[in-house]
Amino acid sequence: MEGRVGSQDGQIASPRRAPSQQRSRERVERMLAAASALIAEQGSDAMRMGEVAERAGVSIGSLYQFFPDKRAIVWALAERYTAESQACISAALADVSDAEGLGQAFSELVDIYYRLFLAEPVMRDIWSGTQADKALRELELADSRANAEFLTAVLKRLRPAADPAALETTAFLVWQMGEAAMRLAISVGREEGDRLVAAYKRMALRELLDQ
Amino acid sequence: MEGRVGSQDGQIASPRRAPSQQRSRERVERMLAAASALIAEQGSDAMRMGEVAERAGVSIGSLYQFFPDKRAIVWALAERYTAESQACISAALADVSDAEGLGQAFSELVDIYYRLFLAEPVMRDIWSGTQADKALRELELADSRANAEFLTAVLKRLRPAADPAALETTAFLVWQMGEAAMRLAISVGREEGDRLVAAYKRMALRELLDQ
DNA sequence: TGCAAATGTGAGGATTATTCATATTTTGAA
DNA sequence: TTCAAAATATGAATAATCCTCACATTTGCA
C-alpha cells in the first residue's frame, strides 16, 4: 500500500544537480510550488512524487534531476522558511538594549511565530515531521541555535555580569521551549492554545530577565 | 522503493481482534517483543513487517490478525510505556505536601525520565516520531494531560489561593516543556544535554513554585 | 465426537519511490 | 554559423514494501 521514504540515514539532501539554466531554475520553482501546495492540502506524508511532477507540469524524471529524493523537497522548503525567519528574528532583536525592550520584542516575536504557525499549513506540517527526519531535525536544531544566539547577544548586553555560558544555555532552552509551546498550542483548541502561548511568554520572560 | 505507512487518518489503531486464547496471547507478546527489538536496532521507520513476523516466528498474516497495520504495533508499545510511567509519576507526586517536597520529587522525576530516555532506544524512537503520527500524538497528549493533572493536584494543595485554571495551564505547559527538553537533551551531546536538563529543572521549579 | 469460532499461513495485489536508457535542448568555443 | 559537449527532459520499468484474502489448521465446548 505504500512507498517508503528512503533509508534512515540523515544525509543532508542537497540537489543532485544545481539548475544552471534559466529554464531549469523556473522549473525547479514550479516543483517547489507544487510541493508546497500539495503539502498544504494533504500534508507532506501524503504528498506523492507523481502528483508533484504532474502539478508542476514536469516529468517524474525531472523531479529527480534536481532532488535526490522526496525528503529533499521538503527540506528545500524548510530551508527557505528558516532563512526568512532568521532574518526577521535577527532584525527584531538587533537593537534591544533594555529589559523593557526585550519584553516588547520577545512578545511580538512570539505572536508573529504563533500566527505564522496557525496560518501556514506548510510550515506547520514540516516542523511537525521534524523529529522523524534526521536532516530536518538537524536543520531545525541549527536554526534554533542561530536564533538562540541572537537572543544570547541581547542577554549579554542586558546582564553583562552573568555567566555567558549560562546565558547561552538559557537562551537556547527558552527558544526551544518556545518552538515546543507553539507546536503544542496549535495542536489543541484555539482558546487553550492562546492561554498556553501567554503562559509561555510569561515563563520565558521571567527566565530571560531573571526576575 | 517503498511501502507506505497507511493513510494519514489518525484512527486509534486497536487490535483487529483481541487474542483470546493462551496460545495467541503468547504469540502477540512475541510479536511485540520482536518489534521492540527491531525498533531498538534500527528505529521504527526502518522496522519491516516481514522482519517482525520472522523474528517473532509467526507468519505475516498472523501479525495482521492482531494489528491492523504497522503503526498499531508501535502504538501498542507506546501505550505500555505510558501506562507504566503514569503509575510511576502518580506515585512520586501523590504525597507531596510542601514546596520542598515538590522540588525533591520533581527533580527526581526529571532525572528518572532523562535516564530513561537516554537508556531506552525504543521509547526514544517512539516519542520522537510522535509528531508525525496522529494516533501517537493523541496518545502522548492524553498522557501528558494525565501527568499534568497529577502535578496540578499538587499545586492546588500548595497554593490554594491561586486561580485553579492558571495552575492547570502552568502544570500542563511545564510538563510539555519537560518532554521537549528531554527530546532536545538527548539529541545534543551528553554534556550539553545535562546542562539543558538542569536549566529546565530550575526554570520549571521556579514556575511551579511561583518564586 | 463434531462443529463453530479462533487462529495460522504466505503467495499475490496494490502502491509508491526511484532509476536509467534514451531523446531533446542549450551553451560556448572554434 | 557550426557542432560537440553539457545540461536537461522523459516515462516505462524496477524494486521495495505494506497489506489482503482464500484457504488450512487448531482450539473450545456442547
Side-chain angles (χ1 to χ4, degrees):
Chain A
M1 206 191 245
E2 314 274 333
R4 230 196 62 229
V5 95
S7 37
Q8 60 279 25
D9 54 349
Q11 300 302 318
I12 291 289
S14 58
R16 176 162 302 207
R17 148 183 270 160
S20 72
Q21 303 177 359
Q22 179 67 20
R23 169 180 58 143
S24 53
R25 247 173 280 137
E26 285 169 359
R27 296 179 115 236
V28 166
E29 282 311 309
R30 287 219 305 281
M31 296 173 200
L32 287 174
S36 183
L38 286 168
I39 291 173
E41 287 168 23
Q42 335 166 340
S44 57
D45 205 55
M47 177 187 87
R48 302 287 163 236
M49 296 299 269
E51 279 185 295
V52 175
E54 187 183 24
R55 194 177 288 216
V58 305
S59 71
I60 193 94
S62 286
L63 218 49
Y64 282 91
Q65 196 89 48
F66 301 100
F67 299 98
D69 56 30
K70 185 174 169 177
R71 299 177 317 168
I73 296 182
V74 177
W75 193 89
L77 289 173
E79 202 195 17
R80 293 192 168 189
Y81 277 114
T82 63
E84 266 181 57
S85 63
Q86 268 189 42
C88 167
I89 290 157
S90 169
L93 294 176
D95 52 352
V96 168
S97 58
D98 57 13
E100 196 192 1
L102 176 57
Q104 185 74 22
F106 188 80
S107 176
E108 275 171 25
L109 222 43
V110 170
D111 288 339
I112 290 173
Y113 250 75
Y114 185 37
R115 255 178 268 138
L116 216 61
F117 262 75
L118 282 171
E120 282 280 353
V122 179
M123 197 177 179
R124 202 159 64 212
D125 181 275
I126 290 175
W127 293 132
S128 283
T130 269
Q131 301 297 338
D133 184 283
K134 198 172 175 186
L136 270 188
R137 196 164 55 233
E138 277 164 17
L139 178 62
E140 194 203 21
L141 204 58
D143 180 50
S144 203
R145 281 196 197 280
N147 291 329
E149 255 176 57
F150 298 138
L151 202 50
T152 303
V154 174
L155 291 187
K156 284 183 179 166
R157 257 178 282 153
L158 294 194
R159 295 156 56 184
D163 172 28
L167 292 183
E168 275 163 31
T169 299
T170 297
F172 186 37
L173 185 64
V174 163
W175 194 268
Q176 280 273 336
M177 301 291 92
E179 298 190 348
M182 297 296 154
R183 276 197 282 257
L184 174 61
I186 61 176
S187 75
V188 299
R190 181 62 198 266
E191 287 167 66
E192 190 182 13
D194 289 356
R195 273 203 307 277
L196 287 166
V197 169
Y200 163 72
K201 262 196 211 172
R202 261 199 313 93
M203 187 190 308
L205 278 174
R206 174 189 275 185
E207 191 69 14
L208 291 176
L209 301 176
D210 198 31
Q211 289 166 341
Chain B
M1 208 191 248
E2 310 279 334
R4 232 196 61 233
V5 94
S7 35
Q8 61 279 25
D9 55 349
Q11 300 302 317
I12 292 286
S14 57
R16 176 164 300 208
R17 150 185 266 160
S20 73
Q21 302 178 359
Q22 179 66 21
R23 170 181 54 144
S24 52
R25 247 173 282 137
E26 285 170 0
R27 295 180 115 238
V28 167
E29 283 310 309
R30 286 219 305 280
M31 295 173 200
L32 288 173
S36 185
L38 286 168
I39 291 172
E41 287 168 22
Q42 335 165 338
S44 57
D45 205 55
M47 176 186 87
R48 302 291 165 232
M49 294 301 268
E51 278 186 295
V52 175
E54 187 183 23
R55 193 177 289 217
V58 304
S59 71
I60 194 106
S62 286
L63 218 49
Y64 282 92
Q65 195 91 41
F66 301 99
F67 299 98
D69 57 30
K70 183 175 168 175
R71 298 177 317 166
I73 296 183
V74 177
W75 192 89
L77 289 173
E79 201 195 16
R80 294 191 167 189
Y81 277 114
T82 64
E84 266 182 59
S85 63
Q86 269 189 41
C88 166
I89 290 157
S90 169
L93 295 176
D95 52 351
V96 168
S97 57
D98 56 14
E100 197 193 358
L102 175 58
Q104 185 75 22
F106 187 82
S107 176
E108 275 171 25
L109 222 42
V110 170
D111 288 339
I112 290 171
Y113 252 74
Y114 185 37
R115 252 176 272 140
L116 217 60
F117 263 75
L118 282 172
E120 281 281 352
V122 179
M123 198 177 179
R124 202 159 64 213
D125 181 275
I126 289 175
W127 293 131
S128 284
T130 270
Q131 301 295 339
D133 183 282
K134 199 174 176 187
L136 269 188
R137 196 165 54 234
E138 278 164 15
L139 178 62
E140 194 202 21
L141 204 59
D143 180 51
S144 203
R145 281 195 196 282
N147 290 328
E149 255 177 57
F150 299 138
L151 203 48
T152 304
V154 173
L155 292 186
K156 284 182 179 168
R157 259 179 280 154
L158 294 195
R159 296 158 55 186
D163 173 26
L167 292 184
E168 274 163 32
T169 299
T170 298
F172 187 37
L173 185 64
V174 164
W175 194 269
Q176 281 273 337
M177 300 293 93
E179 297 190 348
M182 296 297 151
R183 276 197 282 257
L184 174 61
I186 61 176
S187 76
V188 299
R190 182 62 199 266
E191 285 167 68
E192 190 181 14
D194 289 356
R195 272 202 307 276
L196 287 165
V197 169
Y200 163 71
K201 263 195 208 173
R202 262 197 314 90
M203 185 188 310
L205 278 174
R206 173 189 274 184
E207 191 69 14
L208 292 176
L209 302 176
D210 197 30
Q211 288 166 342

